[in-house]
Amino acid sequence: EVQLQASGGGLVQTGGSLRLSCTASGFSFDDYTIGWFRQAPGKEREGVSCIRTRDFTTYYAGSLKGRFTISSKNAKNTVYLQMNSLKPDDTAVYYCGAIRSREGTNYLIQAFYDYWGQGTLVTVSS
């Protein structure tokens, strides 16, 4: 059974940091790209960042690069999203997803993803 477990969300003040974790099971981790997406109230889900676990190539939404860092610990089937200098606009439910890695894919498009976790809520207070 495929499972993606997202954790690490919580309440933080503006300027604070959080580290999200996504732990996967039930598929060959090294064959997949793991992505983080977020959905704010009343908005569509948007791509945040993703990492191709076989070679650790990373992708970021342009506006977030520099504040967010994605990494992978393949031995633990876990991908992390370190979020720094958080702003109220970062408030959202953060989801992790998995997509089989293949050339030419835009990994920041949610429609292409094969599996999803349940989401973890991040709230940034002003």
Side-chain angles (χ1 to χ4, degrees), residues 39-45 89:
Q39 188 165 18
K43 296 187 177 180
E44 293 188 353
R45 192 176 297 187
D89 284 350

Side-chain angles (χ1 to χ4, degrees), residues 29-66:
F29 190 73
D30 293 353
D31 291 336
Y32 280 74
T33 292
I34 305 299
W36 284 100
F37 292 75
R38 67 184 183 183
Q39 188 165 18
K43 296 187 177 180
E44 293 188 353
R45 192 176 297 187
E46 63 175 355
V48 173
S49 181
C50 53
I51 185 166
R52 193 165 59 195
T53 57
R54 68 170 179 242
D55 59 9
F56 305 103
T57 299
T58 58
Y59 306 83
Y60 293 91
S63 60
L64 300 175
K65 192 172 185 177

Side-chain angles (χ1 to χ4, degrees), residues 83-110:
M83 305 186 296
N84 298 326
S85 302
L86 284 163
K87 308 172 182 179
D89 284 350
D90 296 317
T91 295
V93 177
Y94 285 70
Y95 299 90
C96 62
I99 176 175
R100 185 175 288 274
S101 299
R102 40 186 175 257
E103 294 301 319
T105 299
N106 185 335
Y107 295 116
L108 290 176
I109 296 178
Q110 62 160 334

